[in-house]
Amino acid sequence: MNTALSWIKVYVPELECTDQEYCDAMTLSGTKVEGFERRDRNLEKIVVGEILSIEAHPDADKLIVCQVNIGRETVQIVTGAHNVKAGDKVPVVLDGGKVAGGHDGGPLPEKGIVIKAGKLRGVPSNGMMCSIEELGSDRNMYPEAPEEGIYIFEDDVEPGADAVELLGLHDTVFEYEITSNRVDCYSVLGVAREAAATFKKPFVPPAVKKTGNDEKVNDYISVEVQDPDLCPRYCARVCKNIKIGPSPKWMQRRLAASGIRPINNLVDITNYVMEEYGQPMHAFDLDTIAGHKIIVRRAKDGDEFQTLDGQMRKLDSEVLMICDGEKEVAIGGIMGGENSKITDNVRTVLFEAAIFNGPNIRKSAKRIGLRTESSGKFEKGLEVHNAEDAINRACQLIEELGCGEVVGGMVDVAQPALASADGRKRLPFQPEKYNKLLGTEVSPEEMLEMFTRLEIEAVKDEDGNTSLAIPYFRQDLNCDADIAEEVARFYGYDKIPTTLPTGEATAGRLSYKLRIEQKAEDIAEYCGFSQGMSYSFESPKVFDRLLLPEDSEMRRAITISNPLGEDFSIMRTITLNGMLSSLATNYNRRNKNVRLYELGNIYLPKELPLKELPDERMQFTLGFYGEGDFFTMKGVIEEFFTSVGMCRKPVYDPKAEKSFLHPGRQALIRYENVVVGYLGEVHPEVLDNYGIGVKAYVAVLDMPNVIPFTTFDRKYEGIAKYPAVSRDISMVVPKTILAGDIEQLIAQRGGKILESYQLFDIYEGAQIREGFKSMAYSITFRAKDRTLEESDVSASMKKILHGLEQMGIELRQ
C-alpha cells in the first residue's frame, strides 16, 4: 500500500511533521512504514519560465536560442527542443540547479544532474528547459506531456513560480506494510484515520452529499443476486449524459503519486474512489447491458469468457460472474469483460460497488490465472457498508467534475443484517482487564480519549454499564485482547514497563527424551545426513520386499479399519521401507552420495486383535549409498553414543540374522548386553526390489532401549600430568576371531593404567597361512598419580598376552 503525504493531509489538514517523524510515529502506532521517497528528490532551482522570443543558433541547425522570462529577470537558454514557441511557459532549471535524470529511460542517477551555465557552440546558455522525464517522471503519470520535448504549462501560471510545486512533486510517497486483518488501511482514508489518531489531529473525511435527479434508478436497471453467499451486497447507480474528458489536475496528481496512470475522468474517478475508500468499483456501458438487468451468479463448468485484457478465461462453477439478461459481462471482483467495456462513445454508465466473498475471490483469481488490484482488495474481506459509501462518493465526483448527470436512487440488493440496533458491534469496556493484559496503569479516561480518536464510541446502557460501539470499518476488533492492543498502540509500546508473568509456570525446556532425539538429529546432520520423513501407514507387501520370513514377528501388524487403500492399510512395524523408498527415489533421480535419517515411530501390537494401545517405539533410522561402507555407518553410531554420554564401547554381534541385510555384513548393536539396534549392508535382493543399483547401508537404533544408558552429566578431567607408555603388538589371528573380541580382552586385562588401544594394521595374504590374518594394535598406558615404571607396564602386557594365547592367537616373530 502506497500513499502520498499530500493526499493524507487532505483529510488531516493540521498534520505537520517531517517525513522521518511521520515514518517513525506511524510505525510505532502499528501502521508500519516500510520506507518513503521524496518525489522532488534531486530537483533544485526549477521555476516557470516564459519564452519571450526564439532565434536560430548561428552555428548549429538543430539548436535554437531562447530568451526566457523567469520572473525576476530574463535569461538566455540554448536548447535542441523543437516543440516550443514564443509565449510557452516551461519548467526551467537555473544555473546551479539539479534535475533528476534524462531522456534515455534508464535508471535515474542517485544524486541527480547539476546544471551549470556555459556555452553551446559558442552561444551562452544560462540554464535548461526540462522535459517531464528530466523531472523524474514520465508521460504515464503526466499524459499531457509531449512524447518528446519540453513540458509546457497551461497559460495561467506565472513566470518565476515554483515549477516543481505546480507539478505536484513537492510530496513524499510512503510505502506501508499492512496486515491482512486491517482491511480498512488498504485505503487512503484508513491510513489518514491512523495518522490523525497517531498525531492527535482532527480527521476530516470527505463530505459526501446526496446526488441524483428526480428519476428512479429502478427504471434503468434491475439486479438479481442468485448466490448471496458469494455476494453479500450489490449496489448499483446510473449516470447519464456522460462526457468523457481529462480529469482535473489535482486528481491526476494524486493518482500519479499512488502509481496509477491517469486515463480519463470516468476511469480516474473509479480508480480514485478505489484508492480513497479501498472499495473497487466497476463501470459498465449501460447500452451494452442486455435487458438492462444484472444477474450475479456462478459460472458453468467449461464456460469461457474474454476479459478486458483480451484474454479468454476458462471458468468453472466456483467462479462468480456478473451477467446481463443474455450473457456474462464481468468476472465478479476480478475484471470486467470486453463486451461491456467503456468507450469514448459511452452515454450512460452503470456503476457497480459490491461486496464479494474474500476466499472465493482469492481462489477464483488463482484458478483462472488473473490477479488484479481489485481482487487483491476483495480477497481480504471488505466491510459491507463500504460499498454504499464508495458508490455515493463516485457519483458525487461525477457531478462535481461535470462528467455526467446522476440518476436518483440506488439499487441495493442483499442488505446486510445489522449486529445491533445501530449496526455496530458492542464490546464491554473493561479497563482493569486491559491493564492486566498489558502490565500498564492507563486510566479509563485516557483509554476513552484514545478510543474517541479511533472513532470507537463509549455507550452507556440503562444500568450505567459502559460498552464500546465498534465502527463498521474496524472488522479486526472482536474481543478484549483486540481492545487492549489498541490501548497499547496509542499509549506507546515503548512506555509499557517490564513485568514478570503472573500465575503458575513451568520451566520452558525440552523433556529429556526430546533432548536425546534432538542430539540424534544434530549428530546425523553433523555427519552429512539429511532428515527425511515417511508415512506410518504401509502396505503388507512391504514385508515381502524386505524378505521377512512368514513367521516373523514384524508381520504381526495392526490393520487399519478404514484405510485409504491397500498401500496404506497397516501400521508399520519396521522403518526400513520408508528409508529404502527414499533412497530409491534419490537414486532414480541420479543423486549421488545420498545420506538420510529419520526419527519415527513403529507400532508393535501387544496382541491381535487389538485390546489396548500398541507399543509405540521411536526408531532412529539412518541410510546411505555412495561414499562410505559398513564402518562409516558404525562410526556414525559411535559418534552418537559418545555425544549422549554412552562412553563404553558397544559390542557388535555378527549373528544378527536380519533377512533384509547382507548375510556377512550385518551386526546387532549391544550395549551392556542389551540389544539397542542393528546395522549392515542391505541385501542385494532387497536392493533389486527397491530399484537401487548400488550398495546401500542402514542402521536402526531403538530409542527406548538407548535412552536408559544416556546421560548429560559429564565430568571433565584436566590434561594428564604424567607421560604415557606405548606398546605395539602384532599377532596372527584366526579369521573366526573378531576385532571386537580382541579389544574386549585388552580392555578387561589392561587394568587401571590402560588409557587406550588402536588397531593400526590388518593384513591377509601370502605371507600369512590360510585361515589366519595379521592384526597389529598400539596400546597406551598412563597413570594419573605417578610416572609408570617398566614393571607396571610389563605386568599389564603379560596379562593381555596370556589372554590372547588362550584365544588361540600367536604373536608374530
Side-chain angles (χ1 to χ4, degrees):
M1 177 68 190
N2 293 351
T3 67
L5 186 59
S6 61
W7 200 348
I8 298 295
K9 287 183 177 180
V10 172
Y11 312 119
V12 193
E14 295 182 16
L15 178 62
E16 294 293 337
C17 60
T18 65
D19 295 339
Q20 191 62 52
E21 287 172 347
Y22 180 87
C23 175
D24 294 342
M26 292 293 283
T27 298
L28 286 174
S29 67
T31 309
K32 183 180 179 184
V33 178
E34 286 287 297
F36 61 89
E37 183 177 1
R38 290 286 309 180
R39 298 190 71 209
D40 58 0
R41 183 170 62 99
N42 297 326
L43 300 180
E44 298 177 8
K45 298 178 70 174
I46 303 176
V47 300
V48 175
E50 181 181 6
I51 301 176
L52 302 177
S53 64
I54 298 177
E55 298 177 358
H57 193 289
D59 293 325
D61 294 338
K62 295 184 178 180
L63 298 179
I64 56 176
V65 181
C66 303
Q67 302 301 319
V68 182
N69 172 20
I70 60 170
R72 63 179 184 274
E73 62 178 321
T74 299
V75 296
Q76 179 172 284
I77 297 176
V78 179
T79 180
H82 290 279
N83 69 312
V84 294
K85 64 183 184 299
D88 284 346
K89 295 176 180 178
V90 298
V92 174
V93 56
L94 305 177
D95 179 26
K98 291 170 69 175
V99 292
H103 292 283
D104 57 4
L108 299 178
E110 181 65 27
K111 297 183 179 180
I113 299 173
V114 178
I115 303 300
K116 295 183 178 180
K119 290 185 178 182
L120 289 177
R121 299 292 293 269
V123 177
S125 182
N126 297 302
M128 183 182 80
M129 291 182 279
C130 304
S131 67
I132 198 65
E133 289 81 8
E134 287 164 330
L135 296 173
S137 191
D138 55 45
R139 291 190 67 250
N140 285 329
M141 301 306 170
Y142 291 84
E144 74 276 12
E147 290 189 17
E148 294 181 1
I150 304 303
Y151 183 87
I152 300 175
F153 288 105
E154 296 179 352
D155 291 339
D156 57 354
V157 300
E158 293 295 327
D162 187 342
V164 178
E165 182 178 358
L166 291 172
L167 289 168
L169 294 174
H170 281 319
D171 203 355
T172 305
V173 176
F174 291 87
E175 179 184 357
Y176 306 88
E177 180 186 320
I178 307 297
T179 54
S180 294
N181 65 317
R182 289 303 305 273
V183 182
D184 58 302
C185 287
Y186 284 93
S187 66
V188 178
L189 283 174
V191 175
R193 277 194 188 95
E194 289 292 305
T198 299
F199 289 94
K200 300 182 180 180
K201 301 295 183 182
F203 172 63
V204 185
V208 181
K209 301 175 183 177
K210 183 179 179 180
T211 56
N213 57 23
D214 295 333
E215 297 179 275
K216 295 181 179 180
V217 69
N218 292 314
D219 295 336
Y220 284 82
I221 192 71
S222 63
V223 177
E224 177 186 354
V225 178
Q226 295 183 358
D227 292 282
D229 58 320
L230 300 185
C231 181
R233 190 175 192 184
Y234 192 99
C235 300
R237 296 196 70 176
V238 173
C239 299
K240 65 179 187 178
N241 301 326
I242 295 296
K243 301 172 185 176
I244 298 294
S247 54
K249 287 291 188 294
W250 61 266
M251 181 175 285
Q252 292 187 29
R253 300 298 183 251
R254 291 178 191 175
L255 290 174
S258 296
I260 299 176
R261 180 170 65 93
I263 298 176
N264 59 48
N265 50 4
L266 189 60
V267 175
D268 290 353
I269 285 171
T270 59
N271 286 334
Y272 185 86
V273 173
M274 180 175 69
E275 290 299 302
E276 187 177 45
Y277 279 81
Q279 171 68 49
M281 294 180 57
H282 192 71
F284 298 101
D285 185 341
L286 187 60
D287 294 333
T288 66
I289 303 299
H292 285 192
K293 182 175 183 179
I294 290 292
I295 301 173
V296 183
R297 61 168 175 81
R298 283 178 164 87
K300 297 176 182 177
D301 290 330
D303 282 356
E304 291 189 344
F305 180 71
Q306 187 175 21
T307 46
L308 278 170
D309 57 3
Q311 300 293 317
M312 291 298 295
R313 308 288 176 178
K314 292 184 178 180
L315 311 175
D316 59 40
S317 60
E318 292 302 314
V319 178
L320 189 68
M321 301 300 295
I322 311 299
C323 311
D324 61 17
E326 299 175 355
K327 61 187 181 298
E328 296 93 347
V329 294
I331 302 177
I334 299 177
M335 184 177 281
E338 182 74 17
N339 55 10
S340 63
K341 68 179 180 181
I342 297 293
T343 66
D344 290 343
N345 299 320
V346 65
R347 298 299 301 159
T348 307
V349 166
L350 170 65
F351 273 129
E352 164 200 283
I355 300 298
F356 298 110
N357 180 279
N360 176 265
I361 294 296
R362 180 180 62 81
K363 293 175 183 177
S364 297
K366 185 175 182 181
R367 202 155 38 236
I368 66 176
L370 178 62
R371 193 172 190 273
T372 61
E373 187 169 357
S374 293
S375 68
K377 292 183 183 294
F378 277 123
E379 68 187 23
K380 294 173 176 64
L382 298 183
E383 202 278 320
V384 292
H385 295 82
N386 203 41
E388 181 179 356
D389 296 338
I391 200 168
N392 288 336
R393 172 64 166 162
C395 290
Q396 179 188 23
L397 291 171
I398 289 285
E399 285 193 353
E400 288 181 353
L401 303 185
C403 185
E405 181 182 353
V406 179
V407 174
M410 177 181 72
V411 178
D412 189 359
V413 178
Q415 180 73 27
L418 301 180
S420 64
D422 62 357
R424 293 180 293 177
K425 288 181 292 187
R426 298 291 181 88
L427 295 176
F429 178 51
Q430 299 176 306
E432 299 83 3
K433 191 170 185 179
Y434 309 149
N435 279 323
K436 187 175 181 181
L437 281 169
L438 300 173
T440 56
E441 295 181 358
V442 183
S443 69
E445 292 74 21
E446 288 181 86
M447 292 184 187
L448 290 174
E449 188 273 331
M450 297 174 193
F451 297 153
T452 300
R453 284 188 271 143
L454 294 168
E455 300 182 38
I456 300 173
E457 184 182 354
V459 181
K460 287 192 176 184
D461 60 18
E462 296 177 354
D463 298 328
N465 297 321
T466 302
S467 62
L468 302 175
I470 309 302
Y472 301 128
F473 51 84
R474 291 303 302 273
Q475 299 182 74
D476 58 307
L477 301 182
N478 297 297
C479 63
D480 295 333
D482 296 332
I483 301 298
E485 184 180 6
E486 297 303 295
V487 174
R489 289 202 301 136
F490 293 100
Y491 175 70
Y493 290 111
D494 54 326
K495 297 179 183 177
I496 297 177
T498 301
T499 56
L500 293 175
T502 58
E504 296 181 1
T506 56
R509 64 177 183 178
L510 296 175
S511 65
Y512 186 80
K513 172 179 175 291
L514 291 178
R515 290 172 66 196
I516 297 297
E517 291 174 8
Q518 187 177 63
K519 182 61 71 173
E521 294 178 357
D522 293 343
I523 293 301
E525 291 169 7
Y526 168 75
C527 294
F529 288 74
S530 298
Q531 186 170 20
M533 186 175 292
S534 55
Y535 292 113
S536 296
F537 297 168
E538 291 187 332
S539 168
K541 297 176 183 178
V542 166
F543 303 136
D544 295 331
R545 297 179 76 184
L546 293 174
L547 308 181
L548 291 178
E550 291 295 330
D551 60 349
S552 173
E553 281 293 312
M554 292 182 184
R555 287 182 177 267
R556 296 182 65 249
I558 301 168
T559 302
I560 299 170
S561 59
N562 56 341
L564 298 174
E566 185 183 5
D567 289 343
F568 303 96
S569 61
I570 63 170
M571 302 294 289
R572 67 180 176 185
T573 59
I574 183 171
T575 57
L576 285 187
N577 174 65
M579 176 58 67
L580 293 175
S581 297
S582 298
L583 291 176
T585 299
N586 281 274
Y587 177 78
N588 292 330
R589 294 180 182 177
R590 300 188 179 183
N591 293 328
K592 298 180 179 180
N593 302 321
V594 174
R595 297 186 174 195
L596 300 174
Y597 78 91
E598 178 184 7
L599 279 164
N601 285 337
I602 58 172
Y603 305 86
L604 305 179
K606 297 171 184 176
E607 60 178 322
L608 289 175
L610 279 181
K611 294 182 180 178
E612 57 180 314
L613 292 176
D615 183 13
E616 297 186 27
R617 303 186 70 84
M618 177 63 68
Q619 307 290 287
F620 179 28
T621 308
L622 300 125
F624 76 85
Y625 66 78
E627 293 183 1
D629 54 19
F630 179 94
F631 297 101
T632 304
M633 185 67 82
K634 178 172 172 282
V636 176
I637 297 298
E638 293 183 356
E639 182 76 22
F640 167 63
F641 284 170
T642 301
S643 70
V644 293
M646 298 169 66
C647 299
R648 296 183 183 179
K649 283 204 171 185
V651 175
Y652 299 91
D653 183 356
K655 298 177 182 179
E657 298 181 355
K658 301 293 184 183
S659 58
F660 42 81
L661 297 179
H662 192 292
R665 298 166 191 164
Q666 59 174 284
L668 293 177
I669 306 171
R670 297 181 183 275
Y671 193 87
E672 295 188 2
N673 293 323
V674 176
V675 176
V676 295
Y678 58 86
L679 79 160
E681 180 184 323
V682 180
H683 196 290
E685 189 174 339
V686 174
L687 292 174
D688 290 341
N689 290 340
Y690 283 89
I692 302 175
V694 295
K695 291 181 179 180
Y697 300 87
V698 295
V700 178
L701 292 179
D702 185 48
M703 297 302 281
N705 281 349
V706 170
I707 290 175
F709 299 109
T710 61
T711 179
F712 288 112
D713 295 331
R714 306 295 176 86
K715 184 179 181 181
Y716 294 94
E717 298 179 355
I719 299 174
K721 297 180 180 180
Y722 301 97
V725 178
S726 296
R727 293 287 187 268
D728 293 345
I729 56 173
S730 181
M731 305 166 287
V732 178
V733 183
K735 288 185 177 181
T736 56
I737 297 178
L738 303 176
D741 299 332
I742 296 173
E743 292 174 1
Q744 187 175 4
L745 182 138
I746 294 173
Q748 290 174 350
R749 301 205 171 200
K752 293 182 178 180
I753 63 172
L754 176 66
E755 184 176 72
S756 63
Y757 49 84
Q758 181 69 42
L759 174 67
F760 67 86
D761 183 60
I762 184 167
Y763 170 75
E764 296 180 31
Q767 298 181 14
I768 304 298
R769 65 181 183 269
E770 188 175 350
F772 287 80
K773 56 188 174 183
S774 172
M775 300 179 70
Y777 275 87
S778 177
I779 305 174
T780 302
F781 300 92
R782 190 195 306 265
K784 298 179 181 179
D785 55 351
R786 59 191 174 86
T787 300
L788 291 175
E789 297 181 359
E790 179 62 29
S791 59
D792 298 322
V793 178
S794 297
S796 292
M797 284 299 299
K798 185 176 181 180
K799 293 179 182 179
I800 292 171
L801 295 174
H802 181 68
L804 293 173
E805 290 175 3
Q806 291 179 338
M807 295 174 65
I809 297 173
E810 303 174 4
L811 290 180
R812 290 189 66 181
Q813 302 299 325

